[in-house]
Amino acid sequence: MAQKVSSELNRRALRSMSGGVNSPVRAFKAVGAEPLFIDHATGAYIYDADGNKYIDYLQSWGASILGHANPLVTETIHNSAKKGTSYGLSTALEAELAELIKRAFPSIELLRMVNSGTEAVMSTVRLARGYTGRTKVLKFEGCYHGHSDGLLAKAGSGMTTFSVPDSAGVPQSIASETLVVPYNDLEAARKITEQFADDIACVLIEPVAANMGVIPPAEGFLEGLRKLCDSINALLIFDEVITGFRVAPGGAQEKYGIQADLTTLGKIIGGGLPVGAFGGRTEIMKFLAPDGPVYQAGTLSGNPVVASAGIAVLNTLIETNPYEELESLAGLLEMKLKEAFEDVSLPVRINRVGSMLTVFFCENPVSNYSSARTADTSRYTSFFRAMQKSGILFPPSQFEAAFLSTAHAIRDIEKTITPLKKWLQKHKN
Ligand SMILES: *Cc1c(COP(=O)(O)O)cnc(C)c1O
């Protein structure tokens, strides 16, 4: 597959943009490949600047649950844009989108729109601190919550040590307000919440981890966190930027039957345009300006074009209720992948929750960050490249989720397995 135009575009981009990209993962460094430059995409397929067609299992990192360029969504965006793209004042669209979100998430009584998932989580943590009068945040190793300073931190060597920043430019003083324990380790969470019972404002989690590859919550883990939060009067924040409207309309809260105090959303609810949202109980959300003392604002927040796209997507999801179909299609992909790997005795662990999955190239179950890290990334790289050459785009990193959309069909899965089997013939144990 020729990549001449992408290569040229990459060289051009490198001259004017830091690293040639506007988000690091797009540089394909994790798979040592040249980045793709996209020309257009429709439904399950994405086309690069060289005219190559791929079955797209990225779907804009899960944002495009209806597939690319869904006709209703693009038509809605088009019509909305003709009425002006931003007013900096309120519209009926914002209330309509908020109502749709509220209906899906019983734990959300009031919410606020922002422009990215990062912004949603950052604002939510500030709100949790303002509401509780405490400063510390407990998060889980390998969970990603956007790139705000305090959340770019992972565990130090000891479980109870304060965390060190993961990124240059984050002061130690800020990172030290973040406590980190392993995902799915309720005992570690219990210990640290006891130790810092009066200091922890909130426990922040991806209820299904999807940014270290897909890792489902262990039985009882989320319930346990709910109880821990109640016992120390800390707020439980579910970061449902990926899982909201993905694993169920009401996200992981609906799927696992747990109510969060505060919830963050993004990706799907913007119909592929920049978006974020956060919400929760009225008594907490009342702490936000203009009613309360916690400041938060945004020139483009609740943007009319974004809101109209979000409404089109959420209405479609509610009307068509595609979740069972997505589940069975993703189940089929999982099964076919498993069979292909088993046929040649190549050990993999496939983690799947609903329509998102990760093939980990390792033998042991993957239940947290350290087990995810045992995956053979060079083998993943070989897999990724072989699939890309055959017109199938998996995430350009072992530690990212693959997503199905409602535009994918059984024939796409069949087309995925054929080249996989060819690659496996060369790489079997
Ligand atoms: C993508 C993501 C974010 C950040 O959202 P952006 O829109 O990229 O800022 C936050 N949390 C989770 C769980 C995400 O997957």
Side-chain angles (χ1 to χ4, degrees):
M1 233 176 225
Q3 238 184 273
K4 201 166 152 281
V5 182
S6 272
S7 296
E8 278 164 19
L9 288 172
N10 188 36
R11 281 195 295 278
R12 174 178 163 193
L14 283 164
R15 286 195 294 271
S16 59
M17 289 152 62
S18 178
V21 292
N22 283 316
S23 197
V25 74
R26 294 178 202 166
F28 282 32
K29 291 240 195 278
V31 286
E34 266 209 284
L36 286 182
F37 282 70
I38 302 308
D39 181 73
H40 68 285
T42 167
Y45 309 113
I46 196 163
Y47 300 78
D48 69 18
D50 288 276
N52 301 310
K53 174 185 180 181
Y54 306 89
I55 298 172
D56 183 18
Y57 289 114
L58 260 185
Q59 293 293 328
S60 189
W61 307 96
S64 303
I65 193 169
L66 301 179
H68 294 291
N70 173 278
L72 175 67
V73 177
T74 50
E75 171 87 4
T76 302
I77 290 170
H78 189 78
N79 290 336
S80 178
K82 281 195 280 195
K83 294 169 75 175
T85 50
S86 177
Y87 319 119
L89 294 172
S90 296
T91 65
L93 295 166
E94 295 162 75
E96 192 178 342
L97 180 57
E99 286 156 11
L100 286 168
I101 293 171
K102 271 183 55 152
R103 224 170 290 154
F105 283 82
S107 71
I108 298 180
E109 291 173 354
L110 290 175
L111 64 100
R112 188 159 279 178
M113 304 297 301
V114 291
N115 305 297
S116 70
T118 296
E119 215 186 315
V121 184
M122 180 188 79
S123 305
T124 306
V125 168
R126 183 183 304 138
L127 175 60
R129 284 172 167 153
Y131 178 76
T132 59
R134 301 172 178 178
T135 60
K136 293 209 186 307
V137 176
L138 174 60
K139 76 179 279 288
F140 297 85
E141 206 181 350
C143 282
Y144 180 67
H145 301 290
H147 63 90
S148 66
D149 282 350
L151 301 176
L152 286 178
K154 65 176 177 189
S157 47
M159 193 184 67
T160 56
T161 54
F162 295 100
S163 50
V164 294
D166 243 359
S167 162
V170 176
Q172 177 63 47
S173 58
I174 290 177
S176 70
E177 296 294 345
T178 306
L179 306 165
V180 186
V181 297
Y183 196 79
N184 276 331
D185 190 340
L186 192 54
E187 187 51 27
R190 193 186 58 75
K191 275 194 192 141
I192 208 156
T193 47
E194 268 171 19
Q195 189 182 348
F196 295 100
D198 300 328
D199 308 314
I200 294 176
C202 56
V203 174
L204 170 64
I205 189 159
E206 286 182 76
V208 176
N211 284 289
M212 49 180 152
V214 173
I215 300 183
E219 179 104 41
F221 180 57
L222 298 175
E223 291 91 326
L225 293 181
R226 177 69 272 173
K227 284 191 190 128
L228 285 181
C229 284
D230 293 342
S231 72
I232 63 164
N233 291 316
L235 299 180
L236 179 61
I237 304 175
F238 273 8
D239 182 351
E240 304 233 36
V241 168
I242 282 188
T243 52
F245 295 94
R246 166 64 61 181
V247 299
Q253 313 185 28
E254 178 182 336
K255 186 174 173 72
Y256 299 103
I258 316 272
Q259 293 238 327
D261 296 306
L262 291 167
T263 299
T264 58
L265 297 166
K267 297 194 169 100
I268 287 175
I269 64 163
L273 299 179
V275 80
F278 64 102
R281 284 200 306 282
T282 302
E283 55 166 323
I284 306 171
M285 293 301 288
K286 282 270 183 203
F287 267 67
L288 282 180
D291 293 346
V294 176
Y295 193 69
Q296 190 280 334
T299 302
L300 296 174
S301 293
N303 175 277
V305 182
V306 178
S308 69
I311 290 165
V313 171
L314 299 196
N315 272 332
T316 303
L317 290 174
I318 290 161
E319 279 160 26
T320 60
N321 191 14
Y323 293 94
E324 254 175 57
E325 219 169 299
L326 279 169
E327 170 83 39
S328 73
L329 197 66
L332 180 71
L333 176 60
E334 178 190 6
M335 192 186 76
K336 295 273 182 191
L337 288 168
K338 253 188 194 143
E339 281 173 5
F341 283 103
E342 271 167 15
D343 278 350
V344 297
S345 312
L346 188 89
V348 291
R349 286 286 172 168
I350 301 177
N351 282 1
R352 179 178 71 85
V353 176
S355 53
M356 50 192 200
L357 66 76
T358 299
V359 180
F360 287 101
F361 286 83
C362 61
E363 245 163 292
N364 296 319
V366 175
S367 60
N368 58 27
Y369 189 60
S370 59
S371 50
R373 297 296 299 195
T374 66
D376 184 343
T377 53
S378 59
R379 195 165 256 171
Y380 184 86
T381 293
S382 168
F383 161 80
F384 168 84
R385 289 196 195 175
M387 296 307 278
Q388 191 206 321
K389 275 198 193 104
S390 308
I392 294 140
L393 194 61
F394 271 93
S397 160
Q398 167 71 90
F399 306 107
E400 300 284 359
F403 295 94
L404 286 178
S405 73
T406 58
H408 286 83
I410 291 176
R411 68 175 179 281
D412 298 315
I413 289 171
E414 285 160 358
K415 278 187 200 154
T416 302
I417 298 302
T418 310
L420 171 65
K421 285 187 168 163
K422 247 191 237 159
W423 175 76
L424 282 170
Q425 282 310 315
K426 281 183 271 171
H427 291 264
K428 61 188 173 190
N429 274 359

